[in-house]
Amino acid sequence: MFILTHLCHALVASQLTSWRRGKATVSPRRDNPLCAGLALSMLLGVLALSSCGRASSLATANKARTPSKASTTFVKTATCPFQPGEGIILGQELTCGILTVPENRANPGGHTIQLAVAIFTSPQHTADRTPILRLDGGPGGASLSTWAASITGDAISQQLLSHDWIAIDQRGTGFSQPSLACPELAQASDTSADQDKQAQATAQQQALRSCYERLTSEGIDLSAYTTLENAADMHDLVQALGYQQVNLYGISYGTRLALTMMRLYPEQIRSVVLDGVYPPQVGNQVDQSQAFQTLFQGCMRSTVCERAYPHLAQDFVQAANLLDVRPAETQIKDDATGNTVTARIDGNEFRNLMFLAMYPASLLPQLPALIEQTKQGNYDPLKQLYTLFNTAVGETISWGMHFSVECSESFMMDVENELDPCAIWKVPRVPVEQKQPVHSALPTLLTSGRYDPVTPPSNAQAAAATLSRSYSLVFPNAGHGVLDTSTCANQIIEQFYDTPGSHPDTGCLNELNDALAQSVVGRM
């Protein structure tokens, strides 16, 4: 079960920025993007994958690599690989470029890889001009096509917190080359959506093997796509750009990358914000039951929610049981063939959808009503949520990078189906030091959403135990990630970057409402 939620966590986390910037209004009653190509499969659980017919173009780009002994270089480019937001002018607020680094630093005479970089210049600055290096989640999440593309000219100062920001598509992801995307998985998810669970599992297993064989046949060293090499890329990026130090902002898996940099390259770091903390000592097993208990307890704390749904936990169980007896059916498009297939939502898939719906704060107030409606046999809101998660928004997760990181750092086993993706994705384990708590005296702010289902506040507590100058805050209105969820969150983070040696003023936290304080009541 943890593979299911952990993999969807990768893509959902990568989409949070777009929703918060106002690019999409997230509501189960509207057909808007949340997660691309959600595949309810048993090998990988719910694979949040975009449908894309890019296998041939990816292969062409990847095969274009040649061995090189070139050292690390950064070259500005005349264009950006993404469409800048409205009002953003290349050469003024935005600079793009390519960072070239060794694929495997243990083999300096081997291939080099190219990493896509975007640098935003804020029109307003605080007294300190140290830039912020953004580290996105996944592992395998893109940064340029999601966060960088969401920056607009009319709000750039607020969006950048009055600092310059550096965004990078980490090795194997986004516009960086080679790409470790696995379009085979999306295609298998689409074509098997109307089949039984065993057939779905078999299709996903075959697709994963096909992706592995394709990438390795192109000469890609999958063992080099790790957090350790990723951190070394960031170290080289800071040097190549000529900065003495940077501030770090890590979201989700990006917090693990940030912590690794804190351990290996502390001299380059002025301060750190860890948002939705995923420390190296914590495995990738997620506790769905604990996440749901947090939801139920939140409803009990809310007068409106508790009055409307006094037995939410029991309603949840009854809804799942009803779906096991009478599954919901909905039509989805197989983008590989253009055909329409019927997807079935049983009790297990209902629990998976509810778990994923706890990521964005904007969906949380609607979940009690959705649970109640499902229990009563009205499946329409549930099917609309399913459609929401299946709406393609473009490929943002590199599953090859995801598996290279997770299979080298964590054990990924689908216990229910006795399937081990890492038996297919053969990469060596990282050194034991990479799985140990990070000890650091760097100023660090750890932020957590009360309802975060995959990186709960307990993760931040575990990380903070060995960070001697850290402050850990929990935001009652948030799910996974707090930046851009409220003015309060942004003010606290901006203040911390301005004066990282001081305890941030957290007075506005007391003014934030719980996410379930304004729960939707009645028929959706």
Side-chain angles (χ1 to χ4, degrees):
M1 187 66 65
F2 68 86
I3 292 178
L4 170 150
T5 48
H6 189 72
L7 293 182
C8 263
H9 138 60
L11 186 60
V12 173
S14 76
Q15 294 302 321
L16 286 174
T17 296
S18 296
W19 311 331
R20 293 169 186 161
R21 300 298 191 196
K23 284 199 161 188
T25 302
V26 181
S27 167
R29 290 175 285 184
R30 300 185 182 181
D31 187 19
N32 290 312
L34 180 64
C35 182
L38 181 68
L40 302 177
S41 63
M42 297 304 290
L43 169 63
L44 303 177
V46 179
L47 269 178
L49 295 167
S50 64
S51 55
C52 58
R54 292 180 55 199
S56 59
S57 61
L58 289 174
T60 301
N62 290 349
K63 288 180 178 178
R65 300 182 308 141
T66 56
S68 173
K69 295 183 179 180
S71 59
T72 299
T73 59
F74 176 79
V75 177
K76 294 182 181 179
T77 55
T79 60
C80 292
F82 62 96
Q83 178 63 46
E86 184 177 357
I88 298 297
I89 301 175
L90 183 63
Q92 296 183 21
E93 298 92 351
L94 173 62
T95 301
C96 288
I98 298 294
L99 179 73
T100 299
V101 297
E103 180 180 51
N104 189 334
R105 288 171 173 80
N107 182 20
H111 289 296
T112 58
I113 60 177
Q114 290 73 46
L115 309 182
V117 178
I119 305 170
F120 287 91
T121 301
S122 176
Q124 299 178 4
H125 290 89
T126 60
D128 183 84
R129 297 292 296 266
T130 306
I132 299 170
L133 173 57
R134 181 182 174 93
L135 307 174
D136 271 288
S143 185
L144 271 58
S145 63
T146 54
W147 179 81
S150 73
I151 303 299
T152 59
D154 61 351
I156 185 171
S157 292
Q158 294 83 359
Q159 290 176 323
L160 300 183
L161 307 180
S162 299
H163 281 265
D164 297 345
W165 282 66
I166 308 162
I168 181 170
D169 279 343
Q170 298 163 27
R171 55 173 50 213
T173 75
F175 297 111
S176 294
Q177 291 294 330
S179 168
L180 268 61
C182 289
E184 297 91 340
L185 290 170
Q187 294 163 6
S189 297
D190 287 341
T191 56
S192 65
D194 59 350
Q195 300 176 13
D196 61 35
K197 301 303 181 184
Q198 186 56 50
Q200 291 180 13
T202 300
Q204 287 295 324
Q205 190 174 28
Q206 292 173 346
L208 186 63
R209 182 174 288 108
S210 295
C211 182
Y212 176 85
E213 292 173 351
R214 173 177 59 81
L215 293 176
T216 54
S217 70
E218 293 167 2
I220 296 173
D221 182 1
L222 296 177
S223 67
Y225 292 79
T226 64
T227 303
L228 291 170
E229 287 284 3
N230 208 353
D233 294 341
M234 303 305 130
H235 166 74
D236 289 349
L237 174 64
V238 174
Q239 285 191 327
L241 294 178
Y243 295 116
Q244 295 296 315
Q245 286 190 320
V246 292
N247 301 298
L248 298 183
Y249 171 79
I251 171 67
S252 199
Y253 163 75
T255 65
R256 176 171 291 191
L257 178 55
L259 285 161
T260 302
M261 292 182 65
M262 292 166 68
R263 177 169 64 85
L264 297 176
Y265 311 109
E267 69 283 352
Q268 286 188 324
I269 303 169
R270 175 177 176 266
S271 68
V272 184
V273 173
L274 304 177
D275 194 2
V277 187
Y278 184 39
Q281 70 268 32
V282 172
N284 61 10
Q285 299 189 38
V286 295
D287 189 344
Q288 278 196 350
S289 62
Q290 183 57 52
F292 295 143
Q293 284 301 316
T294 301
L295 181 69
F296 304 149
Q297 292 166 6
C299 185
M300 293 176 63
R301 285 193 303 268
S302 164
T303 301
V304 173
C305 187
E306 198 276 335
R307 182 179 300 151
Y309 313 104
H311 308 294
L312 186 61
Q314 294 92 318
D315 294 344
F316 185 93
V317 174
Q318 291 177 27
N321 290 342
L322 177 61
L323 287 163
D324 280 332
V325 175
R326 183 167 61 88
E329 294 186 348
T330 187
Q331 303 298 307
I332 62 173
K333 182 181 179 181
D334 177 354
D335 289 288
T337 65
N339 299 328
T340 298
V341 296
T342 300
R344 293 163 59 87
I345 309 172
D346 59 15
N348 187 52
E349 312 306 354
F350 168 74
R351 287 185 286 270
N352 298 334
L353 284 169
M354 292 302 99
F355 183 90
L356 296 175
M358 291 180 66
Y359 279 72
S362 55
L363 280 182
L364 286 167
Q366 304 179 64
L367 296 187
L370 191 149
I371 293 168
E372 173 71 14
Q373 291 293 304
T374 303
K375 185 200 74 169
Q376 293 179 2
N378 176 18
Y379 290 169
D380 288 344
L382 181 65
K383 290 190 288 186
Q384 290 163 0
L385 181 66
Y386 184 95
T387 300
L388 181 71
F389 275 84
N390 271 277
T391 304
V393 293
E395 185 167 89
T396 55
I397 282 289
S398 165
W399 292 106
M401 174 59 172
H402 184 95
F403 283 115
S404 285
V405 171
E406 293 293 15
C407 290
S408 66
E409 296 186 5
S410 305
F411 179 68
M412 299 182 66
M413 181 70 183
D414 184 347
V415 178
E416 183 176 356
N417 295 278
E418 298 183 353
L419 297 172
D420 179 9
C422 297
I424 298 172
W425 210 264
K426 301 179 181 68
V427 291
R429 304 287 287 182
V430 295
V432 66
E433 293 80 10
Q434 177 58 19
K435 296 298 295 177
Q436 301 302 310
V438 173
H439 294 257
S440 176
L442 289 168
T444 306
L445 175 65
L446 302 92
T447 57
S448 305
R450 174 179 288 170
Y451 293 96
D452 189 336
V454 72
T455 57
S458 58
N459 280 15
Q461 294 172 3
T466 54
L467 303 177
S468 60
R469 299 177 63 195
S470 65
Y471 312 99
S472 186
L473 304 178
V474 178
F475 288 74
N477 66 318
H480 185 56
V482 308
L483 182 64
D484 293 327
T485 60
S486 67
T487 300
C488 176
N490 285 20
Q491 286 177 346
I492 290 175
I493 292 173
E494 181 175 2
Q495 179 193 15
F496 176 77
Y497 281 133
D498 291 344
T499 56
S502 304
H503 194 293
D505 181 357
T506 60
C508 63
L509 268 177
N510 299 325
E511 302 173 6
L512 290 177
N513 290 323
D514 186 280
L516 298 185
Q518 296 180 342
S519 296
V520 173
V521 177
R523 190 176 181 87
M524 301 178 68

